[in-house]
Amino acid sequence: MQPDQIAKQVIELSKQAGDFIRQERKTFNADKIEYKGLNDLVSYVDKTAEGIIVAGLEKILPEAGFITEEKTKNNIADQYNWIIDPLDGTTNFIHGVPSYSVSIALKEYNELILGVVYEINLDECFYAWKGSPAYLNGTIIKVSNAPTIADSLIATGFPYYDFTKQAQYIELFTHLMQSCHGLRRLGSAAVDLVYTAAGRFDAFYEYNLNAWDVAAGIVILKQAGGQVVNFNGGDEVLNTREVLATNGKITEEMLAVVQRYFA
């Protein structure tokens, strides 16, 4: 397997799905919304885009399995598995807020080895694979050099259906709001991660995330020189559903703050 050649094909596929999503947004209306759960929205756009992606990936790597958000295909293979979010930021898409993306990752056994995130509205494609630099539209990107929280712009995501940790989250939010350059909530965890990879953000944290929300962005961030841990400081984030992503320079400081509220 040549990861650079696979990456090129996945990039083109992500843009194909992104083109479909972009066109559908022009005529989309609220009558087409479905609810998977409390505040958990989906539409035919997510499902159709996922079908486009799955069909393309089956041709690229026929032996691979799939972990998909919309369950158009879910079959776990032994060695390779694609992890797909066809439209990360569905709520933004539905409301016409321009921050949503296609997210595609490849995992070999238990290691993420390739990631592509295509931000549709800005036509920005972020990608990387094991051993490569991280790229944005062909240009190498790197994380920021911010040395402290006080020097940082930090991204987060708001819980929208599991409110059991809401009190701790608000306390942490309040602390950081008073301690950094600012907090931002874009509504797409994949975009938050690649913006951290590109140095636009210095850190990103969120809990209650799924593997398809973060897998591709994690690959890109790490290859850009960043660091990703869970709220306990461990490397496992796909199953713990907690992500703290940083430029690698403020990880310990961020962890100390997060653990103050999420013991």
Side-chain angles (χ1 to χ4, degrees):
M1 185 187 71
Q2 295 179 305
D4 57 334
Q5 295 303 312
I6 289 180
K8 289 179 181 178
Q9 296 176 76
V10 177
I11 289 164
E12 291 306 311
L13 186 58
S14 71
K15 291 181 178 181
Q16 180 184 344
D19 288 343
F20 166 76
I21 293 167
R22 187 184 298 111
Q23 291 302 314
E24 293 304 309
R25 178 55 241 174
K26 295 176 182 178
T27 57
F28 190 84
N29 64 67
D31 295 337
K32 301 172 181 177
I33 299 171
E34 301 173 31
Y35 286 82
K36 295 188 287 186
L38 177 64
N39 298 324
D40 193 2
L41 311 180
V42 70
S43 77
Y44 76 93
V45 178
D46 305 67
K47 296 175 182 179
T48 304
E50 187 170 285
I52 292 169
I53 294 166
V54 167
L57 294 176
E58 286 180 321
K59 297 175 182 177
I60 295 171
L61 201 61
E63 67 270 30
F66 289 87
I67 301 168
T68 64
E69 179 173 15
E70 307 308 334
K71 310 297 188 289
T72 57
K73 185 163 189 177
N74 266 334
N75 62 298
I76 306 300
D78 292 334
Q79 184 173 2
Y80 295 111
N81 286 283
W82 296 104
I83 305 176
I84 303 166
D85 192 337
L87 179 49
D88 189 52
T90 296
T91 302
N92 282 353
F93 170 85
I94 287 171
H95 288 273
V97 177
S99 183
Y100 41 87
S101 61
V102 175
S103 177
I104 305 171
L106 180 61
K107 185 166 70 168
E108 182 178 14
Y109 298 113
N110 291 319
E111 182 183 12
L112 294 168
I113 61 169
L114 183 149
V116 174
V117 173
Y118 179 51
E119 205 294 322
I120 296 163
N121 299 275
L122 295 176
D123 190 27
E124 290 190 327
C125 193
F126 302 80
Y127 52 95
W129 57 91
K130 183 179 178 181
S132 80
Y135 295 95
L136 164 55
N137 290 348
T139 300
I140 293 175
I141 55 173
K142 295 184 180 297
V143 294
S144 75
N145 291 314
T148 68
I149 290 176
D151 301 296
S152 298
L153 181 64
I154 298 173
T156 187
F158 300 151
Y160 62 92
Y161 67 90
D162 180 359
F163 302 108
T164 56
K165 300 177 181 179
Q166 183 174 346
Q168 301 101 296
Y169 178 86
I170 295 300
E171 290 175 353
L172 172 59
F173 188 91
T174 300
H175 177 102
L176 290 172
M177 182 171 59
Q178 298 171 358
S179 305
C180 67
H181 282 180
L183 288 166
R184 299 290 184 267
R185 199 275 190 176
L186 299 184
S188 168
V191 173
D192 290 324
L193 284 162
V194 296
Y195 277 17
T196 306
R200 297 173 182 176
F201 294 139
D202 306 292
F204 162 66
Y205 69 95
E206 189 172 352
Y207 73 89
N208 204 35
L209 290 166
N210 294 296
W212 47 77
D213 298 316
V214 299
I218 286 172
V219 177
I220 296 162
L221 177 66
K222 286 183 175 180
Q223 297 305 124
Q227 187 175 6
V228 184
V229 296
N230 60 39
F231 288 0
N232 289 322
D235 294 331
E236 174 53 56
V237 295
L238 296 185
N239 294 320
T240 60
R241 306 186 71 185
E242 301 170 343
V243 172
L244 172 60
T246 79
N247 62 2
K249 301 166 183 66
I250 62 170
T251 304
E252 294 304 318
E253 187 183 5
M254 280 291 297
L255 262 178
V257 175
V258 168
Q259 290 175 353
R260 187 181 307 174
Y261 301 101
F262 284 84

